[in-house]
Amino acid sequence: MRSMAGLRGALIVLEGADRAGKSTQARLLVDTLRERGHRAEGLRFPERTTEIGKLIGSYLEKKNNIEDHTVHLLFSANRWEQVPMIKEKLASGVTLVVDRYAFSGVAFTSSKENFSLKWCKQPDVGLPKPDLILFLNLSLEAAAARGGFGNERYETNDFQVQVHKRYRELMEDKSLNWKLVDASQSVDDVLKVITELSEGAIEEAKTRTIGKL
Ligand code: DGP
Ligand code: NA
Ligand code: NA
């Protein structure tokens, strides 16, 4: 292949409620894009290995308690601390497949009482804007059929119902490239759909500068 220097990679985000298959699909999507000749790498948020990420990890495992506003800002900081690396990778032509991003932050925190969407969005304003957001859509019934909840924080039915509603509201933002994907299909069928959408985004990203949330 001809050198692609100067052409940036795409920022592709996977979102969805718990058990929709995001992590599996993110991994398979990276492999598939590579097989098809693209430079692709995976990232996840929260990134639990950094200092901030370790605090978040303990919080999710319920080993510590962090005040709700404070933990929201930590989740956002955990994204911001990766921004220099994200920008470098994209500029060098690498496509990034990200398992959760700012939209998880807003959907989850705004599902708590007394948090407005507006307040929740603010800390992530200015983050690199995804070229594509793949929403893996799975009904709560179908998600339940995939097995019981884990023991982490947020893994309760009532909370997940609320998270679903919040994602619905976020998807109404037409300034973002949301694509609703039926996650009840087989793993292979979901992968086929998201691979096609991702290749379209990679092509379009080449001629556009990266935006900001
Ligand atoms: P996992 O994707 O399995 O590593 O789980 C991370 C959990 O944390 C999941 O329940 C979603 C939630 N989460 C992800 N990002 C944020 C965020 O920015 N804010 C809040 N409050 N929760 C988040
Ligand atoms: Na989880
Ligand atoms: Na996951």
Side-chain angles (χ1 to χ4, degrees), residues 124-144:
D124 289 308
V125 169
L127 282 180
K129 182 175 176 172
D131 297 294
L132 172 66
I133 313 164
L134 298 162
F135 184 80
L136 299 195
N137 191 41
L138 192 67
S139 70
L140 286 160
E141 295 72 26

mmCIF file with all atom_site columns, all heavy atoms in Angstrom, residues 124-144:
data_model
loop_
_atom_site.group_PDB
_atom_site.id
_atom_site.type_symbol
_atom_site.label_atom_id
_atom_site.label_alt_id
_atom_site.label_comp_id
_atom_site.label_asym_id
_atom_site.label_entity_id
_atom_site.label_seq_id
_atom_site.pdbx_PDB_ins_code
_atom_site.Cartn_x
_atom_site.Cartn_y
_atom_site.Cartn_z
_atom_site.occupancy
_atom_site.B_iso_or_equiv
_atom_site.pdbx_formal_charge
_atom_site.auth_seq_id
_atom_site.auth_comp_id
_atom_site.auth_asym_id
_atom_site.auth_atom_id
_atom_site.pdbx_PDB_model_num
ATOM 1   N N   . ASP A 1 124 ? -16.471 16.969  29.783 1.00 0.00 ? 124 ASP A N   1
ATOM 2   C CA  . ASP A 1 124 ? -15.943 16.322  28.570 1.00 0.00 ? 124 ASP A CA  1
ATOM 3   C C   . ASP A 1 124 ? -15.966 17.240  27.356 1.00 0.00 ? 124 ASP A C   1
ATOM 4   O O   . ASP A 1 124 ? -15.526 16.837  26.272 1.00 0.00 ? 124 ASP A O   1
ATOM 5   C CB  . ASP A 1 124 ? -16.739 15.044  28.268 1.00 0.00 ? 124 ASP A CB  1
ATOM 6   C CG  . ASP A 1 124 ? -16.450 13.936  29.274 1.00 0.00 ? 124 ASP A CG  1
ATOM 7   O OD1 . ASP A 1 124 ? -15.264 13.630  29.491 1.00 0.00 ? 124 ASP A OD1 1
ATOM 8   O OD2 . ASP A 1 124 ? -17.413 13.395  29.855 1.00 0.00 ? 124 ASP A OD2 1
ATOM 9   N N   . VAL A 1 125 ? -16.463 18.475  27.532 1.00 0.00 ? 125 VAL A N   1
ATOM 10  C CA  . VAL A 1 125 ? -16.490 19.420  26.411 1.00 0.00 ? 125 VAL A CA  1
ATOM 11  C C   . VAL A 1 125 ? -15.053 19.710  25.978 1.00 0.00 ? 125 VAL A C   1
ATOM 12  O O   . VAL A 1 125 ? -14.207 20.033  26.816 1.00 0.00 ? 125 VAL A O   1
ATOM 13  C CB  . VAL A 1 125 ? -17.218 20.733  26.800 1.00 0.00 ? 125 VAL A CB  1
ATOM 14  C CG1 . VAL A 1 125 ? -16.999 21.814  25.738 1.00 0.00 ? 125 VAL A CG1 1
ATOM 15  C CG2 . VAL A 1 125 ? -18.704 20.473  27.002 1.00 0.00 ? 125 VAL A CG2 1
ATOM 16  N N   . GLY A 1 126 ? -14.791 19.522  24.688 1.00 0.00 ? 126 GLY A N   1
ATOM 17  C CA  . GLY A 1 126 ? -13.448 19.761  24.157 1.00 0.00 ? 126 GLY A CA  1
ATOM 18  C C   . GLY A 1 126 ? -12.671 18.488  23.855 1.00 0.00 ? 126 GLY A C   1
ATOM 19  O O   . GLY A 1 126 ? -11.635 18.533  23.198 1.00 0.00 ? 126 GLY A O   1
ATOM 20  N N   . LEU A 1 127 ? -13.158 17.347  24.337 1.00 0.00 ? 127 LEU A N   1
ATOM 21  C CA  . LEU A 1 127 ? -12.506 16.071  23.996 1.00 0.00 ? 127 LEU A CA  1
ATOM 22  C C   . LEU A 1 127 ? -12.580 15.853  22.489 1.00 0.00 ? 127 LEU A C   1
ATOM 23  O O   . LEU A 1 127 ? -13.515 16.350  21.841 1.00 0.00 ? 127 LEU A O   1
ATOM 24  C CB  . LEU A 1 127 ? -13.234 14.894  24.659 1.00 0.00 ? 127 LEU A CB  1
ATOM 25  C CG  . LEU A 1 127 ? -13.028 14.578  26.130 1.00 0.00 ? 127 LEU A CG  1
ATOM 26  C CD1 . LEU A 1 127 ? -13.889 13.364  26.502 1.00 0.00 ? 127 LEU A CD1 1
ATOM 27  C CD2 . LEU A 1 127 ? -11.571 14.301  26.462 1.00 0.00 ? 127 LEU A CD2 1
ATOM 28  N N   . PRO A 1 128 ? -11.628 15.096  21.910 1.00 0.00 ? 128 PRO A N   1
ATOM 29  C CA  . PRO A 1 128 ? -11.741 14.755  20.487 1.00 0.00 ? 128 PRO A CA  1
ATOM 30  C C   . PRO A 1 128 ? -13.116 14.143  20.193 1.00 0.00 ? 128 PRO A C   1
ATOM 31  O O   . PRO A 1 128 ? -13.601 13.302  20.959 1.00 0.00 ? 128 PRO A O   1
ATOM 32  C CB  . PRO A 1 128 ? -10.628 13.725  20.284 1.00 0.00 ? 128 PRO A CB  1
ATOM 33  C CG  . PRO A 1 128 ? -9.629  14.022  21.358 1.00 0.00 ? 128 PRO A CG  1
ATOM 34  C CD  . PRO A 1 128 ? -10.443 14.506  22.538 1.00 0.00 ? 128 PRO A CD  1
ATOM 35  N N   . LYS A 1 129 ? -13.722 14.620  19.122 1.00 0.00 ? 129 LYS A N   1
ATOM 36  C CA  . LYS A 1 129 ? -15.083 14.186  18.779 1.00 0.00 ? 129 LYS A CA  1
ATOM 37  C C   . LYS A 1 129 ? -15.017 12.913  17.928 1.00 0.00 ? 129 LYS A C   1
ATOM 38  O O   . LYS A 1 129 ? -14.310 12.884  16.919 1.00 0.00 ? 129 LYS A O   1
ATOM 39  C CB  . LYS A 1 129 ? -15.741 15.310  17.987 1.00 0.00 ? 129 LYS A CB  1
ATOM 40  C CG  . LYS A 1 129 ? -17.172 15.082  17.572 1.00 0.00 ? 129 LYS A CG  1
ATOM 41  C CD  . LYS A 1 129 ? -17.675 16.352  16.906 1.00 0.00 ? 129 LYS A CD  1
ATOM 42  C CE  . LYS A 1 129 ? -19.073 16.187  16.367 1.00 0.00 ? 129 LYS A CE  1
ATOM 43  N NZ  . LYS A 1 129 ? -19.591 17.497  15.908 1.00 0.00 ? 129 LYS A NZ  1
ATOM 44  N N   . PRO A 1 130 ? -15.748 11.889  18.309 1.00 0.00 ? 130 PRO A N   1
ATOM 45  C CA  . PRO A 1 130 ? -15.701 10.656  17.517 1.00 0.00 ? 130 PRO A CA  1
ATOM 46  C C   . PRO A 1 130 ? -16.215 10.883  16.092 1.00 0.00 ? 130 PRO A C   1
ATOM 47  O O   . PRO A 1 130 ? -17.146 11.652  15.876 1.00 0.00 ? 130 PRO A O   1
ATOM 48  C CB  . PRO A 1 130 ? -16.654 9.714   18.268 1.00 0.00 ? 130 PRO A CB  1
ATOM 49  C CG  . PRO A 1 130 ? -16.783 10.263  19.631 1.00 0.00 ? 130 PRO A CG  1
ATOM 50  C CD  . PRO A 1 130 ? -16.616 11.752  19.498 1.00 0.00 ? 130 PRO A CD  1
ATOM 51  N N   . ASP A 1 131 ? -15.591 10.201  15.150 1.00 0.00 ? 131 ASP A N   1
ATOM 52  C CA  . ASP A 1 131 ? -16.091 10.230  13.770 1.00 0.00 ? 131 ASP A CA  1
ATOM 53  C C   . ASP A 1 131 ? -17.319 9.336   13.634 1.00 0.00 ? 131 ASP A C   1
ATOM 54  O O   . ASP A 1 131 ? -18.130 9.526   12.732 1.00 0.00 ? 131 ASP A O   1
ATOM 55  C CB  . ASP A 1 131 ? -14.983 9.741   12.825 1.00 0.00 ? 131 ASP A CB  1
ATOM 56  C CG  . ASP A 1 131 ? -13.788 10.663  12.858 1.00 0.00 ? 131 ASP A CG  1
ATOM 57  O OD1 . ASP A 1 131 ? -13.926 11.816  12.419 1.00 0.00 ? 131 ASP A OD1 1
ATOM 58  O OD2 . ASP A 1 131 ? -12.722 10.257  13.385 1.00 0.00 ? 131 ASP A OD2 1
ATOM 59  N N   . LEU A 1 132 ? -17.420 8.374   14.535 1.00 0.00 ? 132 LEU A N   1
ATOM 60  C CA  . LEU A 1 132 ? -18.524 7.410   14.486 1.00 0.00 ? 132 LEU A CA  1
ATOM 61  C C   . LEU A 1 132 ? -18.780 6.894   15.892 1.00 0.00 ? 132 LEU A C   1
ATOM 62  O O   . LEU A 1 132 ? -17.835 6.569   16.619 1.00 0.00 ? 132 LEU A O   1
ATOM 63  C CB  . LEU A 1 132 ? -18.118 6.242   13.571 1.00 0.00 ? 132 LEU A CB  1
ATOM 64  C CG  . LEU A 1 132 ? -19.032 5.024   13.497 1.00 0.00 ? 132 LEU A CG  1
ATOM 65  C CD1 . LEU A 1 132 ? -20.387 5.396   12.860 1.00 0.00 ? 132 LEU A CD1 1
ATOM 66  C CD2 . LEU A 1 132 ? -18.368 3.910   12.669 1.00 0.00 ? 132 LEU A CD2 1
ATOM 67  N N   . ILE A 1 133 ? -20.057 6.847   16.291 1.00 0.00 ? 133 ILE A N   1
ATOM 68  C CA  . ILE A 1 133 ? -20.418 6.229   17.572 1.00 0.00 ? 133 ILE A CA  1
ATOM 69  C C   . ILE A 1 133 ? -21.370 5.077   17.272 1.00 0.00 ? 133 ILE A C   1
ATOM 70  O O   . ILE A 1 133 ? -22.485 5.287   16.776 1.00 0.00 ? 133 ILE A O   1
ATOM 71  C CB  . ILE A 1 133 ? -21.111 7.216   18.534 1.00 0.00 ? 133 ILE A CB  1
ATOM 72  C CG1 . ILE A 1 133 ? -20.356 8.540   18.600 1.00 0.00 ? 133 ILE A CG1 1
ATOM 73  C CG2 . ILE A 1 133 ? -21.235 6.601   19.929 1.00 0.00 ? 133 ILE A CG2 1
ATOM 74  C CD1 . ILE A 1 133 ? -21.193 9.676   19.214 1.00 0.00 ? 133 ILE A CD1 1
ATOM 75  N N   . LEU A 1 134 ? -20.894 3.881   17.545 1.00 0.00 ? 134 LEU A N   1
ATOM 76  C CA  . LEU A 1 134 ? -21.701 2.681   17.320 1.00 0.00 ? 134 LEU A CA  1
ATOM 77  C C   . LEU A 1 134 ? -22.438 2.371   18.613 1.00 0.00 ? 134 LEU A C   1
ATOM 78  O O   . LEU A 1 134 ? -21.803 2.054   19.626 1.00 0.00 ? 134 LEU A O   1
ATOM 79  C CB  . LEU A 1 134 ? -20.791 1.519   16.935 1.00 0.00 ? 134 LEU A CB  1
ATOM 80  C CG  . LEU A 1 134 ? -19.997 1.723   15.639 1.00 0.00 ? 134 LEU A CG  1
ATOM 81  C CD1 . LEU A 1 134 ? -18.815 0.753   15.575 1.00 0.00 ? 134 LEU A CD1 1
ATOM 82  C CD2 . LEU A 1 134 ? -20.918 1.546   14.429 1.00 0.00 ? 134 LEU A CD2 1
ATOM 83  N N   . PHE A 1 135 ? -23.764 2.490   18.578 1.00 0.00 ? 135 PHE A N   1
ATOM 84  C CA  . PHE A 1 135 ? -24.539 2.160   19.774 1.00 0.00 ? 135 PHE A CA  1
ATOM 85  C C   . PHE A 1 135 ? -25.042 0.732   19.642 1.00 0.00 ? 135 PHE A C   1
ATOM 86  O O   . PHE A 1 135 ? -25.876 0.436   18.784 1.00 0.00 ? 135 PHE A O   1
ATOM 87  C CB  . PHE A 1 135 ? -25.713 3.124   19.966 1.00 0.00 ? 135 PHE A CB  1
ATOM 88  C CG  . PHE A 1 135 ? -26.450 2.857   21.252 1.00 0.00 ? 135 PHE A CG  1
ATOM 89  C CD1 . PHE A 1 135 ? -25.958 3.328   22.460 1.00 0.00 ? 135 PHE A CD1 1
ATOM 90  C CD2 . PHE A 1 135 ? -27.617 2.095   21.264 1.00 0.00 ? 135 PHE A CD2 1
ATOM 91  C CE1 . PHE A 1 135 ? -26.608 3.053   23.662 1.00 0.00 ? 135 PHE A CE1 1
ATOM 92  C CE2 . PHE A 1 135 ? -28.285 1.816   22.462 1.00 0.00 ? 135 PHE A CE2 1
ATOM 93  C CZ  . PHE A 1 135 ? -27.772 2.305   23.653 1.00 0.00 ? 135 PHE A CZ  1
ATOM 94  N N   . LEU A 1 136 ? -24.515 -0.156  20.461 1.00 0.00 ? 136 LEU A N   1
ATOM 95  C CA  . LEU A 1 136 ? -24.954 -1.554  20.422 1.00 0.00 ? 136 LEU A CA  1
ATOM 96  C C   . LEU A 1 136 ? -26.237 -1.663  21.236 1.00 0.00 ? 136 LEU A C   1
ATOM 97  O O   . LEU A 1 136 ? -26.221 -1.607  22.460 1.00 0.00 ? 136 LEU A O   1
ATOM 98  C CB  . LEU A 1 136 ? -23.871 -2.486  20.965 1.00 0.00 ? 136 LEU A CB  1
ATOM 99  C CG  . LEU A 1 136 ? -22.542 -2.480  20.219 1.00 0.00 ? 136 LEU A CG  1
ATOM 100 C CD1 . LEU A 1 136 ? -21.700 -3.687  20.618 1.00 0.00 ? 136 LEU A CD1 1
ATOM 101 C CD2 . LEU A 1 136 ? -22.734 -2.482  18.706 1.00 0.00 ? 136 LEU A CD2 1
ATOM 102 N N   . ASN A 1 137 ? -27.321 -1.795  20.503 1.00 0.00 ? 137 ASN A N   1
ATOM 103 C CA  . ASN A 1 137 ? -28.640 -1.727  21.123 1.00 0.00 ? 137 ASN A CA  1
ATOM 104 C C   . ASN A 1 137 ? -29.168 -3.115  21.472 1.00 0.00 ? 137 ASN A C   1
ATOM 105 O O   . ASN A 1 137 ? -29.303 -3.966  20.597 1.00 0.00 ? 137 ASN A O   1
ATOM 106 C CB  . ASN A 1 137 ? -29.598 -1.038  20.136 1.00 0.00 ? 137 ASN A CB  1
ATOM 107 C CG  . ASN A 1 137 ? -30.912 -0.681  20.779 1.00 0.00 ? 137 ASN A CG  1
ATOM 108 O OD1 . ASN A 1 137 ? -30.942 -0.225  21.922 1.00 0.00 ? 137 ASN A OD1 1
ATOM 109 N ND2 . ASN A 1 137 ? -32.004 -0.898  20.059 1.00 0.00 ? 137 ASN A ND2 1
ATOM 110 N N   . LEU A 1 138 ? -29.450 -3.314  22.750 1.00 0.00 ? 138 LEU A N   1
ATOM 111 C CA  . LEU A 1 138 ? -29.968 -4.602  23.214 1.00 0.00 ? 138 LEU A CA  1
ATOM 112 C C   . LEU A 1 138 ? -31.035 -4.320  24.264 1.00 0.00 ? 138 LEU A C   1
ATOM 113 O O   . LEU A 1 138 ? -30.800 -3.531  25.186 1.00 0.00 ? 138 LEU A O   1
ATOM 114 C CB  . LEU A 1 138 ? -28.815 -5.423  23.841 1.00 0.00 ? 138 LEU A CB  1
ATOM 115 C CG  . LEU A 1 138 ? -29.095 -6.891  24.115 1.00 0.00 ? 138 LEU A CG  1
ATOM 116 C CD1 . LEU A 1 138 ? -29.280 -7.662  22.813 1.00 0.00 ? 138 LEU A CD1 1
ATOM 117 C CD2 . LEU A 1 138 ? -27.964 -7.512  24.930 1.00 0.00 ? 138 LEU A CD2 1
ATOM 118 N N   . SER A 1 139 ? -32.186 -4.954  24.111 1.00 0.00 ? 139 SER A N   1
ATOM 119 C CA  . SER A 1 139 ? -33.245 -4.728  25.101 1.00 0.00 ? 139 SER A CA  1
ATOM 120 C C   . SER A 1 139 ? -32.794 -5.270  26.451 1.00 0.00 ? 139 SER A C   1
ATOM 121 O O   . SER A 1 139 ? -31.926 -6.147  26.531 1.00 0.00 ? 139 SER A O   1
ATOM 122 C CB  . SER A 1 139 ? -34.531 -5.435  24.676 1.00 0.00 ? 139 SER A CB  1
ATOM 123 O OG  . SER A 1 139 ? -34.352 -6.833  24.787 1.00 0.00 ? 139 SER A OG  1
ATOM 124 N N   . LEU A 1 140 ? -33.393 -4.752  27.501 1.00 0.00 ? 140 LEU A N   1
ATOM 125 C CA  . LEU A 1 140 ? -33.026 -5.223  28.838 1.00 0.00 ? 140 LEU A CA  1
ATOM 126 C C   . LEU A 1 140 ? -33.363 -6.696  29.013 1.00 0.00 ? 140 LEU A C   1
ATOM 127 O O   . LEU A 1 140 ? -32.646 -7.424  29.696 1.00 0.00 ? 140 LEU A O   1
ATOM 128 C CB  . LEU A 1 140 ? -33.730 -4.377  29.900 1.00 0.00 ? 140 LEU A CB  1
ATOM 129 C CG  . LEU A 1 140 ? -33.110 -2.993  30.038 1.00 0.00 ? 140 LEU A CG  1
ATOM 130 C CD1 . LEU A 1 140 ? -34.058 -2.025  30.705 1.00 0.00 ? 140 LEU A CD1 1
ATOM 131 C CD2 . LEU A 1 140 ? -31.807 -3.080  30.819 1.00 0.00 ? 140 LEU A CD2 1
ATOM 132 N N   . GLU A 1 141 ? -34.440 -7.133  28.336 1.00 0.00 ? 141 GLU A N   1
ATOM 133 C CA  . GLU A 1 141 ? -34.837 -8.539  28.419 1.00 0.00 ? 141 GLU A CA  1
ATOM 134 C C   . GLU A 1 141 ? -33.749 -9.417  27.784 1.00 0.00 ? 141 GLU A C   1
ATOM 135 O O   . GLU A 1 141 ? -33.333 -10.429 28.340 1.00 0.00 ? 141 GLU A O   1
ATOM 136 C CB  . GLU A 1 141 ? -36.173 -8.778  27.695 1.00 0.00 ? 141 GLU A CB  1
ATOM 137 C CG  . GLU A 1 141 ? -37.372 -8.085  28.320 1.00 0.00 ? 141 GLU A CG  1
ATOM 138 C CD  . GLU A 1 141 ? -37.400 -6.559  28.117 1.00 0.00 ? 141 GLU A CD  1
ATOM 139 O OE1 . GLU A 1 141 ? -36.807 -6.066  27.126 1.00 0.00 ? 141 GLU A OE1 1
ATOM 140 O OE2 . GLU A 1 141 ? -37.995 -5.864  28.960 1.00 0.00 ? 141 GLU A OE2 1
ATOM 141 N N   . ALA A 1 142 ? -33.310 -8.997  26.585 1.00 0.00 ? 142 ALA A N   1
ATOM 142 C CA  . ALA A 1 142 ? -32.270 -9.771  25.888 1.00 0.00 ? 142 ALA A CA  1
ATOM 143 C C   . ALA A 1 142 ? -30.962 -9.744  26.675 1.00 0.00 ? 142 ALA A C   1
ATOM 144 O O   . ALA A 1 142 ? -30.251 -10.749 26.736 1.00 0.00 ? 142 ALA A O   1
ATOM 145 C CB  . ALA A 1 142 ? -32.055 -9.229  24.483 1.00 0.00 ? 142 ALA A CB  1
ATOM 146 N N   . ALA A 1 143 ? -30.676 -8.600  27.283 1.00 0.00 ? 143 ALA A N   1
ATOM 147 C CA  . ALA A 1 143 ? -29.451 -8.495  28.084 1.00 0.00 ? 143 ALA A CA  1
ATOM 148 C C   . ALA A 1 143 ? -29.541 -9.443  29.280 1.00 0.00 ? 143 ALA A C   1
ATOM 149 O O   . ALA A 1 143 ? -28.569 -10.132 29.614 1.00 0.00 ? 143 ALA A O   1
ATOM 150 C CB  . ALA A 1 143 ? -29.237 -7.058  28.562 1.00 0.00 ? 143 ALA A CB  1
ATOM 151 N N   . ALA A 1 144 ? -30.712 -9.499  29.899 1.00 0.00 ? 144 ALA A N   1
ATOM 152 C CA  . ALA A 1 144 ? -30.918 -10.366 31.063 1.00 0.00 ? 144 ALA A CA  1
ATOM 153 C C   . ALA A 1 144 ? -30.729 -11.833 30.680 1.00 0.00 ? 144 ALA A C   1
ATOM 154 O O   . ALA A 1 144 ? -30.173 -12.623 31.453 1.00 0.00 ? 144 ALA A O   1
ATOM 155 C CB  . ALA A 1 144 ? -32.296 -10.141 31.656 1.00 0.00 ? 144 ALA A CB  1
#
